[in-house]
Amino acid sequence: MPTLHPLLRFALLSIGFYLVWFFGYEHYLAIDGRLDDVLTHNIAAVSAAILRLLGFPAAVSPTQANLILLANQPTVFIGAYCDGMVLYALFSGFVLAFPGGGWHKLWFVPLGVFLIYSVNILRIVALCLNHQYSHQTVDFNHHYTFTFIVYGFIFLLWIWWATRLAARNSTSPAQHAHA
């Protein structure tokens, strides 16, 4: 049976993962909202805890579990599109569709998702501090600066996968036996 060209295989798998995401998330999970609620509440709680560790009077609103308060003032509201869910899916789909060893994918995808989650937490903490100290720049930083940083970080993870981990596992010993 002929094998698919790697680029065609990657494209077909990417489209397949996108369709699974589109129909599974956008048409079921997003409408239900529970997964996004859990994630936004978690991000708010962890971000507030980090702010408290840094010495800031941060809390999660008692009436809105996805709203961070600084000194009892509303600071950052974490919406469903800011919870990182789309980024986790985008990253995971790319790594899964890209050639490379299955064993490396088993640990790299969860590690990458955790790292993206962590960068998102740092982004929320930074937005809270940005709101506190330079309120007039929050909108710009939210839409441009932090978007560039987060997508840049994901791009670097992809580069790490494509150049270090996937490439290392794409050649088998049998391919090197030819002299």
Side-chain angles (χ1 to χ4, degrees), residues 99-101 165-176:
L165 298 171
R168 182 171 33 176
N169 293 307
S170 61
T171 56
S172 68
Q175 289 173 318
H176 295 293

Side-chain angles (χ1 to χ4, degrees), residues 2 36 73 80 110 120 128 133 137 141 147 161 178:
D36 284 314
Q73 296 299 311
N120 197 28
C128 288
Y133 294 106
T137 63
N141 286 328
T147 299
W161 171 258
H178 305 288

Side-chain angles (χ1 to χ4, degrees), residues 39-172:
L39 192 52
T40 57
H41 298 170
N42 171 269
I43 290 170
V46 172
S47 298
I50 289 172
L51 285 163
R52 284 191 303 275
L53 282 173
L54 295 173
F56 294 94
V60 174
S61 169
T63 58
Q64 263 185 304
N66 55 345
L67 176 63
I68 300 173
L69 308 173
L70 265 179
N72 291 323
Q73 296 299 311
T75 305
V76 171
F77 174 83
I78 303 159
Y81 289 106
C82 293
D83 65 9
M85 186 68 66
V86 172
L87 301 177
Y88 309 147
L90 181 66
F91 169 79
S92 300
F94 176 85
V95 172
L96 293 172
F98 201 85
W103 289 110
H104 279 300
K105 290 178 183 183
L106 281 177
W107 66 264
F108 190 74
V109 168
L111 174 66
V113 168
F114 174 76
L115 291 173
I116 295 165
Y117 167 85
S118 299
V119 167
N120 197 28
I121 295 288
L122 293 175
R123 178 184 76 93
I124 300 298
V125 167
L127 279 170
C128 288
L129 296 176
N130 187 187
H131 184 274
Q132 182 77 14
Y133 294 106
S134 184
H135 184 274
Q136 67 278 10
T137 63
V138 169
D139 192 52
F140 178 85
N141 286 328
H142 175 257
H143 288 101
Y144 300 105
T145 307
F146 293 125
T147 299
F148 177 77
I149 290 170
V150 170
Y151 279 97
F153 181 76
I154 294 169
F155 179 72
L156 291 176
L157 284 175
W158 285 341
I159 295 297
W160 182 21
W161 171 258
T163 61
R164 303 293 173 135
L165 298 171
R168 182 171 33 176
N169 293 307
S170 61
T171 56
S172 68

